[in-house]
Amino acid sequence: MRSDDLKIYLEFIARFVLYLPPLPPPTSLPSSIRKATNFEFDTKIHDLRGEAVKFLSSPELSKIGSFHPDKLDLESFTPRKEIFNNFKARQALYKAVKSNDEFLIAYEKLVVGVVLPKLKELLLGESENGKIEFHFQFPPTLRVQIPSDLRCKTHSDDVYGHQFGEVNFWMPLTDYRKTCTTLWVENENENENENEKGDDNFHPLEVDYGEISMFHGTVKKHFVPPNKSNSTRVSLDFRVGVGSHFDPSYIDPSVKEQHGRRRIMV
């Protein structure tokens, strides 16, 4: 059985045998947050780049990669080649992030202090009694891409069990001028079911450290091209479930690893 057929079969079991309620359709998410947008944050207050350097230079991360003794900048970090596209290697990095309190504190401070207030601002009129319930990914996903011909395949996040009521956030921690590599996202179209095919229908997220891109990654396809520079690229991404559009109890039975979540009212 093909993987796509297996996914459809498992979803059928989950929905009709286990009697789980259907997920809201993608258009139920307000258009104000389905549309891609960028916003800035103060890197002096939220020094995620500095925290990433401290995290990756810790002795317990020596099996994942290393810095040159005289050059502690992210672009010079030398990771193992498989860290970018090997599932087990990525999971090892994800688990290491999960156990690093300093990095997680800095990340949560950014989400609570910058990202969620921005989301709430875009959701004006959606709140009840002035509060909106959010479920943000915890821990986030740290991605490291070495200079090579490897690329992240084109995909939308629904194939990995993510809901239509989630919004994606992507932020580079390295200098875009040095890596010249970024995430490419499917262009906006009035009818989300009639997107053109091919890479011509994608645009690069031309953001640098200190900026965050928001897009509806469950629906919008995205990919990362090969890193043709001489510098390592490091980025951070995470998702936020939005109010009644997100079901925190839902688990896709076809997905190996489920992201952790934290609930907060803002």
Side-chain angles (χ1 to χ4, degrees), residues 7 11 15 23-26 94 135-139 141 143 155-168 216-220 222 237-241 245-247 250-255 257-261:
K7 181 177 177 61
E11 287 180 348
R15 293 288 161 211
L23 292 173
Y94 182 78
H135 294 262
F136 66 93
Q137 182 180 325
F138 193 91
T141 302
R143 302 190 193 272
H155 67 281
S156 53
D157 288 352
D158 59 324
V159 300
Y160 298 115
H162 291 287
Q163 301 178 35
F164 297 127
E166 296 178 79
V167 182
N168 291 50
H216 197 197
T218 308
V219 173
K220 294 297 180 185
H222 45 284
D237 61 82
F238 53 94
R239 299 157 189 84
V240 177
H245 307 285
F246 179 78
D247 180 1
Y250 173 73
I251 296 177
D252 188 330
S254 67
V255 176
E257 297 287 340
Q258 304 286 338
H259 286 296
R261 302 276 178 180

Side-chain angles (χ1 to χ4, degrees), residues 41 43 46-56 67 72-76 103 106 142 171-176 178-179 208-210 232 234 236:
F41 65 94
T43 58
H46 305 282
D47 185 15
L48 271 295
R49 178 182 167 94
E51 292 299 334
V53 169
K54 287 194 291 183
F55 166 66
L56 291 172
F67 286 96
L72 280 177
D73 61 77
L74 286 180
E75 293 82 6
S76 300
F103 189 84
L142 187 71
M171 52 185 289
L173 299 181
T174 41
D175 190 337
Y176 184 35
K178 293 181 179 180
T179 65
D208 217 329
Y209 179 55
T232 296
V234 182
L236 192 72

Side-chain angles (χ1 to χ4, degrees), residues 160-255:
Y160 298 115
H162 291 287
Q163 301 178 35
F164 297 127
E166 296 178 79
V167 182
N168 291 50
F169 294 88
W170 186 90
M171 52 185 289
L173 299 181
T174 41
D175 190 337
Y176 184 35
R177 294 169 297 179
K178 293 181 179 180
T179 65
C180 301
T181 312
T182 187
L183 186 73
W184 287 64
V185 177
E186 196 170 18
N187 292 333
E188 297 289 339
N189 292 291
E190 290 185 7
N191 189 337
E192 292 184 332
N193 295 318
E194 295 182 0
N195 287 324
E196 300 172 11
K197 294 182 179 180
D199 287 356
D200 289 343
N201 193 38
F202 290 77
H203 64 278
L205 298 183
E206 296 183 309
V207 293
D208 217 329
Y209 179 55
E211 298 175 281
I212 303 174
S213 282
M214 181 183 84
F215 65 101
H216 197 197
T218 308
V219 173
K220 294 297 180 185
K221 293 180 180 179
H222 45 284
F223 70 92
V224 177
N227 179 359
K228 297 293 188 178
S229 74
N230 294 317
S231 300
T232 296
R233 183 189 67 81
V234 182
S235 61
L236 192 72
D237 61 82
F238 53 94
R239 299 157 189 84
V240 177
V242 181
S244 61
H245 307 285
F246 179 78
D247 180 1
S249 66
Y250 173 73
I251 296 177
D252 188 330
S254 67
V255 176

Side-chain angles (χ1 to χ4, degrees), residues 11-26:
E11 287 180 348
F12 172 83
I13 295 296
R15 293 288 161 211
F16 298 100
V17 177
L18 300 179
Y19 301 105
L20 295 179
L23 292 173

